[in-house]
Amino acid sequence: MRCVVQEVSRASVTVAGEEVGAIGRGFMVLAGAEDGDTEADARYCAEKIAGLRVFEDEDGKMNRCLSDVGGSVLMVSQFTLLGDARHGRRPSFIRAARPEAAEPLFELLCEEVRRRGIHVETGRFRTHMEVSLVNDGPTTILLDSKKIL
């Protein structure tokens, strides 16, 4: 599972003109499931998202996590994170999990972050979404459950 985690001062997602999710301070997370991902991959990413210490403390050091700052997460499913653009000009999405496998993993990811005490808003799976955000920092972290040492 791949997740792009961006620190934001605010973020929202709109579907067909309707705002379906919005947060203030926290993380905007784009999450993509890879073919072969399991519940363990979703749990790994959830633990990392909830525990990332990238918010500044009183000394200006990246030392605080979401719960320390009362932050929230806006989680948006993004199969294009698995796009492979190494050959040609059109990315291949062959490594992206099929929607039937990806949606339960995305839902588990959201639930696991919530279970850690973090408020989570979401977009809508398999819809065209418009995402707005204000990066703070900017701080952007790429998580990949397959790149575990």
Side-chain angles (χ1 to χ4, degrees), residues 2-79:
R2 283 191 187 154
C3 296
V4 174
V5 181
Q6 296 180 296
E7 183 180 347
V8 298
S9 55
R10 67 182 177 276
S12 63
V13 61
T14 303
V15 175
E18 173 193 357
E19 185 176 89
V20 297
I23 63 166
R25 185 177 192 192
F27 290 151
M28 170 71 226
V29 178
L30 303 174
E34 185 173 356
D35 191 34
D37 278 349
T38 66
E39 291 181 357
D41 294 289
R43 287 189 178 98
Y44 169 84
C45 287
E47 184 176 333
K48 287 293 186 181
I49 290 165
L52 279 174
R53 292 175 24 186
V54 297
F55 297 95
E56 289 185 358
D57 64 14
E58 57 280 346
D59 297 322
K61 304 259 189 233
M62 294 173 109
N63 212 13
R64 293 193 170 145
C65 64
L66 282 167
S67 60
D68 293 335
V69 299
S72 300
V73 173
L74 177 59
M75 193 85 67
V76 173
S77 177
Q78 182 88 37
F79 80 92

Side-chain angles (χ1 to χ4, degrees), residues 1-4 28-35 76-86 90-99 102 106 125-129 131 142-144:
M1 182 169 267
R2 283 191 187 154
C3 296
V4 174
M28 170 71 226
V29 178
L30 303 174
E34 185 173 356
D35 191 34
V76 173
S77 177
Q78 182 88 37
F79 80 92
T80 59
L81 290 178
L82 282 299
D84 183 350
R86 291 177 293 171
R90 183 180 312 164
S92 168
F93 299 105
I94 193 114
R95 292 180 43 209
R98 301 283 311 149
F106 177 76
F125 200 85
R126 291 185 88 175
T127 63
H128 180 86
M129 294 175 271
V131 178
L142 176 61
L143 301 176
D144 190 327

